[in-house]
Amino acid sequence: MIIEKMNYSKKMKAVLFDGSLRLVSDYPRPLLKPDWAVIKVIKAGICRTDIELIKGYMGFKGILGHEFIGVIEDTIDKSLIGRRVTGEINVSCGKCAMCKMGLKRHCYNRAVQGIHKIDGAMAEYCTLPIENLKIIPDEISDEKAVFIEPMSAAAQILTQITIEANDTCVILGDGKLGILCAWVMTTVCRDVTIVGHHENKLNAARWNGLKTITDISEIKTGVDIVIEATGSLSGLTDAVKICRPMGIIILKSTVASKIEIDLSIVTINEISIIGSRCGLFDDGIGIMRNWKDMPIERLITARYPISEAVTAFEKAVQRDSLKVLLEF
Amino acid sequence: MIIEKMNYSKKMKAVLFDGSLRLVSDYPRPLLKPDWAVIKVIKAGICRTDIELIKGYMGFKGILGHEFIGVIEDTIDKSLIGRRVTGEINVSCGKCAMCKMGLKRHCYNRAVQGIHKIDGAMAEYCTLPIENLKIIPDEISDEKAVFIEPMSAAAQILTQITIEANDTCVILGDGKLGILCAWVMTTVCRDVTIVGHHENKLNAARWNGLKTITDISEIKTGVDIVIEATGSLSGLTDAVKICRPMGIIILKSTVASKIEIDLSIVTINEISIIGSRCGLFDDGIGIMRNWKDMPIERLITARYPISEAVTAFEKAVQRDSLKVLLEF
């Protein structure tokens, strides 16, 4: 009770969306709940999902942010205080059919940090269950660590399908997630190509033999693995067109919109379309430890102090922007 | 040369579609080509695909029919003459990338019996490469054997996904293929339900614990495996709705039509949508041998002599019809 009163009396800066986006400085600091931790945020990334949220996606209202690193400020296990952490974004109930199957991130009753039901990390302090926190290895810098969440989402692909070294892979979309997916795929496939329309993003993407093209017509049909990461699912028609019979299409775009599509070719060619959202942070961290020269910092377009959060969002929505970071 | 001349001089009855559907009696008998066989047809089934073909699907013109049994009339290996056979419908080139990968039925240059490029089996004689023919075990009756092709298409599902005994499975669509898929699934899953709108078809479908319902709203969400076999892909929206996170949707419908659909839930719930067309005949035959009491004959609505082929098609298109057979 004393802890709660102490915390509650304190205010903090936070990036709030409640129909309009703004910085507030009098948001109550999160209370310490049993089995949760309060984290002092160091950096937070602006994700494509955040940009969709301020357009009304999910109907979310509250503090934005689900890509962050910080230091544990308080929790029941005092040995954890001061540790540098990031956090898995899905907060599960532990009781539903999905949780009982071990699919906690698909919990039917889940809250998602800064996306659904609970406040996010674009604030001086945030809070998550202890079980969601991952201690960041010293060898991973603060700036790289902000990418653990999207890197895990990219690494998730490797857990969903079997991949052969000689498989060809095409990634549609040169956004942050598209580039991370492409980099992850270059670590397992010989022939990986990313298709995009932004010269600066394609320049940033060139690493580990990744090929970059601007026109999908350059791709011969018969691709083994196609990753749809255009951000709008509009690329699915293209994906179906270039995928080989019995090939695989990974769907990474989550933005809700109805598309008109002829899927009969999916049946005829026995194509697999596999939805892929977020992955285990251990996998994202594993990729970063195994591939220390992966040029993750190239994906940072700009850095802003939290006081300039609204400007940071304006920057993030620009067509040429990759990752925009908020610093605390 | 002598053989060719002999054959060419002979005429046969055939069910021809060249913009209109009709029985002709002066169609030239197929010539014997090297590595092929000429088969005297005993029975042929009218498939949903045939009905689509006479609406213009695939732009096919020629003799219809790809579900048949017959007796080998002539081939280079004289020991095969007189054997009772059916045939795999995809005739492959043996040279393209798909053939070299061992995916002959996805051959880029394939012809498909009675569907694409080559004549089908609704005639007194048909012809296929020897490698496409399967000798029918004596224990499988002529009428059951006509179902080897669609049974193999149903059995294909078992080769594409891993299935657990406790998985729940829902089949959307009570057509012939839907029922065969449902029966195959009852052999591996404890809890299989078929959804349809035809009382007589659902009555025919009841076997091996298969549950039948007419209203999809009776299904609680969270189905492990959903099979879309409505014949129009229109069921995909329903399939996505009832499929559990990380569940599987099998797409069986091949009829080309644009659908409007929101696929973001496929990404969010990490659902796999797997196209499934036709399977290896050994698998279909294996199912029939392992499950001798599977009531396949129940799926036969009517039998017609080839002289009444047009009437048979009129019967086959009726809403309540299941399989209509042509007899020679």
Side-chain angles (χ1 to χ4, degrees):
Chain A
M1 285 301 289
I2 294 173
I3 292 170
E4 290 201 3
K5 275 188 190 163
M6 279 176 58
N7 282 335
Y8 195 71
S9 68
K10 293 182 184 170
K11 305 291 185 187
M12 67 175 183
K13 290 183 189 146
V15 181
L16 186 68
F17 176 75
D18 58 0
S20 68
L21 178 74
R22 62 190 194 280
L23 180 75
V24 296
S25 56
D26 59 349
Y27 204 87
R29 274 200 203 177
L31 304 181
L32 181 61
K33 291 180 283 191
D35 303 325
W36 287 52
V38 172
I39 301 124
K40 186 167 183 354
V41 180
I42 299 172
K43 292 179 193 289
I46 300 176
C47 168
R48 164 103 195 182
T49 304
D50 297 314
I51 292 166
E52 294 301 323
L53 289 169
I54 63 178
K55 293 182 194 164
Y57 176 56
M58 300 290 292
F60 177 74
K61 291 184 180 183
I63 300 175
L64 295 169
H66 58 276
E67 294 176 7
F68 77 98
I69 66 150
V71 168
I72 295 181
E73 174 86 2
D74 201 5
T75 191
I76 193 142
D77 176 355
K78 301 304 172 194
S79 73
L80 291 173
I81 292 176
R83 300 301 296 269
R84 197 171 62 127
V85 294
T86 183
E88 302 239 16
I89 70 177
N90 297 289
V91 178
S92 56
C93 73
K95 294 170 187 165
C96 72
M98 289 300 111
C99 286
K100 284 180 180 162
M101 287 179 86
L103 300 176
K104 287 193 158 199
R105 69 177 189 279
H106 289 291
C107 168
Y108 285 133
N109 308 309
R110 71 181 176 275
V112 188
Q113 189 190 32
I115 295 176
H116 184 53
K117 293 189 195 171
I118 55 171
D119 279 335
M122 291 181 187
E124 289 177 280
Y125 297 89
C126 71
T127 184
L128 274 177
I130 296 166
E131 69 167 9
N132 283 51
L133 299 180
K134 286 285 163 191
I135 291 172
I136 301 165
D138 291 342
E139 65 197 288
I140 298 178
S141 70
D142 285 358
E143 291 205 333
K144 277 194 177 180
V146 178
F147 289 86
I148 289 173
E149 195 277 331
M151 183 68 82
S152 304
Q156 166 75 347
I157 296 169
L158 306 185
T159 72
Q160 292 180 290
I161 61 174
T162 56
I163 301 169
E164 294 182 28
N166 281 318
D167 281 345
T168 55
C169 177
V170 169
I171 295 91
L172 304 179
D174 57 4
K176 302 171 286 289
L177 185 58
I179 294 172
L180 289 173
C181 289
W183 287 348
V184 166
M185 293 305 291
T186 66
T187 69
V188 288
C189 288
R190 84 181 151 87
D191 187 346
V192 184
T193 304
I194 188 166
V195 188
H197 300 299
H198 307 84
E199 200 181 340
N200 68 315
K201 295 181 184 182
L202 293 178
N203 282 338
R206 284 190 197 99
W207 176 77
N208 207 25
L210 176 63
K211 288 180 273 190
T212 61
I213 62 173
T214 55
D215 186 348
I216 196 168
S217 68
E218 292 178 46
I219 298 169
K220 290 174 194 70
T221 55
V223 177
D224 296 306
I225 301 165
V226 184
I227 299 172
E228 205 295 316
T230 62
S232 69
L233 284 171
S234 62
L236 184 57
T237 300
D238 285 335
V240 168
K241 203 181 298 172
I242 64 175
C243 188
R244 75 161 166 87
M246 301 203 85
I248 294 169
I249 296 171
I250 301 284
L251 277 193
K252 273 292 182 190
S253 300
T254 54
V255 179
S257 60
K258 286 208 171 183
I259 55 168
E260 198 181 81
I261 189 164
D262 178 359
L263 288 174
S264 62
I265 197 73
V266 174
T267 308
I268 292 168
N269 282 351
E270 298 188 311
I271 288 169
S272 295
I273 299 177
I274 297 176
S276 180
R277 184 171 46 107
C278 40
L280 296 177
F281 279 25
D282 281 339
D283 292 333
I285 291 170
I287 297 273
M288 289 188 183
R289 295 181 89 158
N290 290 344
W291 299 88
K292 292 189 175 57
D293 66 333
M294 192 182 277
I296 295 169
E297 294 90 341
R298 279 194 208 158
L299 301 184
I300 302 171
T301 296
R303 300 160 182 84
Y304 291 87
I306 189 169
S307 58
E308 295 175 30
V310 175
T311 310
F313 266 81
E314 288 166 358
K315 181 71 181 173
V317 299
Q318 286 177 9
R319 232 177 140 262
D320 284 349
S321 289
L322 285 162
K323 183 63 69 190
V324 173
L325 294 186
L326 294 175
E327 297 177 322
F328 295 81
Chain B
M1 286 301 290
I2 294 171
I3 293 170
E4 291 201 2
K5 275 190 190 161
M6 279 175 58
N7 282 335
Y8 195 72
S9 67
K10 294 180 183 170
K11 305 292 183 185
M12 65 175 184
K13 289 183 190 148
V15 180
L16 186 67
F17 177 75
D18 58 1
S20 69
L21 178 74
R22 63 190 195 279
L23 180 74
V24 295
S25 56
D26 59 349
Y27 205 87
R29 274 200 203 176
L31 305 181
L32 181 61
K33 290 179 284 191
D35 302 325
W36 286 53
V38 171
I39 302 124
K40 187 168 185 348
V41 179
I42 300 172
K43 291 178 194 289
I46 300 176
C47 169
R48 164 102 194 183
T49 305
D50 298 314
I51 292 166
E52 294 300 322
L53 289 170
I54 63 177
K55 292 182 194 163
Y57 175 56
M58 300 288 293
F60 176 75
K61 292 185 179 181
I63 301 175
L64 294 169
H66 58 275
E67 294 176 9
F68 76 97
I69 66 149
V71 168
I72 295 182
E73 174 85 2
D74 200 5
T75 190
I76 194 142
D77 177 355
K78 301 304 171 192
S79 73
L80 292 173
I81 293 175
R83 301 299 298 269
R84 198 171 61 128
V85 295
T86 184
E88 303 240 15
I89 70 176
N90 297 288
V91 178
S92 56
C93 73
K95 293 171 188 165
C96 72
M98 289 301 110
C99 286
K100 284 180 180 162
M101 287 179 86
L103 299 176
K104 287 193 159 201
R105 69 178 188 279
H106 288 292
C107 168
Y108 285 133
N109 308 309
R110 71 182 176 275
V112 188
Q113 189 189 33
I115 294 176
H116 184 53
K117 293 189 195 172
I118 55 172
D119 278 335
M122 290 181 187
E124 291 178 278
Y125 296 88
C126 71
T127 184
L128 274 177
I130 296 166
E131 70 168 8
N132 283 50
L133 299 180
K134 287 284 163 192
I135 291 172
I136 300 165
D138 290 342
E139 65 197 286
I140 299 178
S141 71
D142 285 358
E143 291 206 334
K144 277 194 177 179
V146 178
F147 289 86
I148 289 173
E149 194 277 331
M151 183 67 83
S152 303
Q156 166 75 347
I157 296 169
L158 305 185
T159 72
Q160 293 182 289
I161 60 174
T162 56
I163 301 169
E164 295 182 26
N166 281 318
D167 282 345
T168 54
C169 178
V170 170
I171 295 90
L172 304 179
D174 58 5
K176 301 170 287 289
L177 185 58
I179 294 173
L180 289 173
C181 289
W183 286 348
V184 167
M185 293 305 291
T186 66
T187 69
V188 288
C189 289
R190 83 181 152 86
D191 187 346
V192 185
T193 304
I194 189 166
V195 188
H197 300 299
H198 308 84
E199 200 181 341
N200 68 315
K201 295 182 184 181
L202 293 177
N203 282 338
R206 283 189 198 99
W207 176 76
N208 208 24
L210 177 63
K211 289 181 273 189
T212 61
I213 62 173
T214 55
D215 186 347
I216 196 166
S217 68
E218 291 179 48
I219 298 170
K220 289 174 195 69
T221 56
V223 177
D224 295 305
I225 301 165
V226 184
I227 299 172
E228 204 296 316
T230 61
S232 70
L233 284 171
S234 62
L236 185 56
T237 299
D238 285 334
V240 168
K241 203 181 297 171
I242 64 175
C243 188
R244 75 161 166 85
M246 302 203 84
I248 293 169
I249 296 171
I250 301 284
L251 278 193
K252 272 294 182 189
S253 300
T254 55
V255 178
S257 60
K258 286 208 170 183
I259 54 167
E260 198 181 83
I261 190 162
D262 177 359
L263 287 174
S264 62
I265 198 73
V266 174
T267 307
I268 291 168
N269 282 351
E270 299 188 310
I271 288 169
S272 294
I273 300 177
I274 297 176
S276 181
R277 184 170 47 109
C278 39
L280 296 178
F281 279 25
D282 281 341
D283 293 334
I285 290 170
I287 297 273
M288 289 189 184
R289 297 180 88 159
N290 290 344
W291 299 89
K292 293 188 175 55
D293 66 334
M294 193 182 279
I296 295 170
E297 293 89 341
R298 278 193 210 159
L299 302 184
I300 302 171
T301 296
R303 300 160 182 84
Y304 291 88
I306 188 169
S307 58
E308 295 175 30
V310 174
T311 310
F313 266 81
E314 286 166 0
K315 181 71 180 173
V317 299
Q318 286 176 9
R319 230 177 140 261
D320 284 349
S321 288
L322 285 162
K323 183 63 71 193
V324 173
L325 293 186
L326 293 175
E327 297 177 321
F328 295 81

